């Protein structure tokens, strides 16, 4: 019986490996924002659990949704409202957020708002951030433990700071077949949230151009401020992440800390090596 169970486990792991291999994406070349018709937006759209909001299906063409109020103008204010809230199991696809034609600088207040918020498992497919506002997409801290935000296809441009933000409890953000140009970081695991957790990120087939750094992860935690997280760390799995222009590093480690304190870079190379896993 033990031998039988061992064989079953080996087969299961082999099948899982084949599934992962089948989903490997090559890093894309430069990807332009689709030509789109501007639509002014003054309120957040909530996508109910288990449903899909498809911009092309809704409008019959590509549209760029542009926030028309101060709370959705795409500034760096923490009070910015998101364009979309995705309930657990919701999907957003085929839409442009923010006006891509205001210029080439960052922080243009081009109506990107605070992008997309996920309240649990969610999928973001072929979404283009023509001008990233406060963030492009955020996994909320209230998401159920272990939730996954899956980003497939699309691109993000002109982010003043990070593009994707992970605030959840052992939550994962998975980014594949994606292009980003001009920004601070592709991804950041919150370094000083009021509730701190270990988090995960998977990057598979991503190209960065003039993005300050690829991933910002907590490769350790300040034990004096977060004793419950002493010895723990985030995990980042990276496959085929290509950097061009002024991108300095594909994966940067930080010492996670508590609210009210600024995280510092982790200088322990062993910590960074265990966190940033290149495949």
């Amino acid at each position: 019986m033990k031998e039988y169970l061992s064989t079953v486990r080996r087969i299961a792991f082999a099948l899982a490996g084949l599934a992962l291999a089948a989903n490997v994406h090559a890093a894309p070349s430069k990807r332009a924002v689709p030509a789109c018709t501007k639509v002014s937006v003054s309120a957040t759209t909530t996508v109910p659990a288990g449903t899909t909001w498809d911009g092309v299906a809704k409008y019959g063409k590509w549209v760029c949704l542009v926030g028309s109020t101060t709370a959705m103008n795409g500034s760096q204010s923490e009070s910015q409202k998101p364009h979309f809230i995705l309930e657990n199991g919701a999907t957003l696809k085929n839409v442009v957020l923010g006006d891509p034609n205001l210029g080439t600088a960052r922080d243009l207040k081009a109506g990107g708002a605070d992008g997309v918020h996920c309240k649990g498992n969610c999928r973001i497919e072929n979404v283009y951030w023509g001008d990233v506002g406060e963030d492009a997409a955020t996994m909320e801290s209230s998401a159920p433990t272990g939730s996954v935000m899956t980003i497939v296809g699309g691109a993000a441009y002109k982010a003043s700071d990070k593009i994707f933000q992970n605030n959840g409890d052992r939550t994962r953000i998975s980014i594949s077949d994606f292009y980003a140009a001009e920004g601070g970081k592709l991804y950041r695991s919150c370094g000083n949230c009021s509730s701190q957790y270990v988090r995960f990120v998977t990057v598979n087939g991503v190209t960065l151009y003039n993005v300050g750094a690829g991933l910002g992860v907590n490769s350790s935690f300040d034990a004096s401020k977060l004793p419950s997280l002493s010895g723990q760390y985030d995990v980042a799995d990276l496959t085929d992440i290509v950097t061009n222009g002024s991108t300095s590093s594909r994966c940067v480690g930080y010492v996670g800390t508590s609210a009210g304190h600024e995280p510092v870079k982790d200088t322990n190379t062993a910590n960074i090596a265990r966190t940033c896993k290149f495949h």
Side-chain angles (χ1 to χ4, degrees):
M1 185 64 177
K2 288 183 179 179
E3 184 177 347
Y4 169 76
L5 290 175
S6 178
T7 301
V8 169
R9 290 191 188 99
R10 286 197 298 271
I11 293 172
F13 280 120
L15 290 173
L18 288 173
L20 287 171
N23 288 318
V24 171
H25 293 271
S29 56
K30 185 175 182 180
R31 183 174 282 166
V33 177
C36 56
T37 301
K38 283 195 285 187
V39 175
S40 293
V41 175
S42 59
T44 299
T45 296
T46 297
V47 184
T51 67
T52 297
W53 194 99
D54 183 333
V56 172
K58 179 178 176 63
Y59 291 96
K61 58 184 176 181
W62 279 89
V63 296
C64 41
L65 304 183
V66 180
S68 61
T69 66
T70 301
M72 297 184 74
N73 67 5
S75 75
Q76 290 301 293
S77 168
E78 292 290 338
S79 62
Q80 286 284 294
K81 296 179 180 178
H83 270 294
F84 288 92
I85 292 175
L86 305 185
E87 299 286 358
N88 193 28
T91 295
L92 175 69
K93 62 192 300 186
N94 301 331
V95 67
V96 179
L97 302 182
D99 187 344
N101 299 314
L102 285 190
T104 58
R106 303 179 191 180
D107 198 18
L108 292 173
K109 298 181 179 62
D114 195 21
V116 181
H117 287 196
C118 283
K119 289 186 169 293
N121 292 319
C122 67
R123 183 176 177 87
I124 302 172
E125 183 178 340
N126 293 332
V127 171
Y128 290 77
W129 288 266
D131 192 302
V132 175
E134 216 280 299
D135 290 320
T138 301
M139 175 68 85
E140 293 192 353
S141 59
S142 61
T145 301
S147 296
V148 179
M149 175 195 294
T150 302
I151 300 149
V152 180
Y157 297 84
K158 296 175 282 187
S160 292
D161 191 8
K162 69 275 186 197
I163 295 172
F164 300 118
Q165 174 82 14
N166 192 351
N167 295 338
D169 178 2
R170 296 188 173 271
T171 50
R172 180 183 297 275
I173 293 183
S174 174
I175 310 162
S176 61
D177 186 25
F178 195 81
Y179 179 81
E182 307 297 335
K185 293 181 182 68
L186 174 69
Y187 165 93
R188 182 68 170 104
S189 172
C190 185
N192 57 357
C193 280
S194 56
S195 295
Q196 279 291 58
Y197 311 102
V198 168
R199 304 181 185 96
F200 306 92
V201 58
T202 302
V203 175
N204 177 0
V206 169
T207 297
L208 306 177
Y209 182 78
N210 282 353
V211 176
L215 313 180
V217 290
N218 298 320
S219 49
S220 63
F221 291 92
D222 186 337
S224 68
K225 296 181 176 63
L226 299 168
S228 65
L229 290 174
S230 177
Q232 298 190 54
Y233 51 92
D234 293 353
V235 177
D237 289 292
L238 303 95
T239 304
D240 197 13
I241 176 170
V242 175
T243 59
N244 296 292
S246 60
T247 302
S248 61
S249 176
R250 292 180 294 172
C251 192
V252 179
Y254 290 86
V255 180
T257 188
S258 57
H261 301 87
E262 281 302 310
V264 298
K265 286 187 177 180
D266 194 339
T267 58
N268 186 314
T269 56
N271 288 350
I272 297 167
R274 71 187 182 183
T275 291
C276 301
K277 299 180 180 296
F278 294 92
H279 303 284

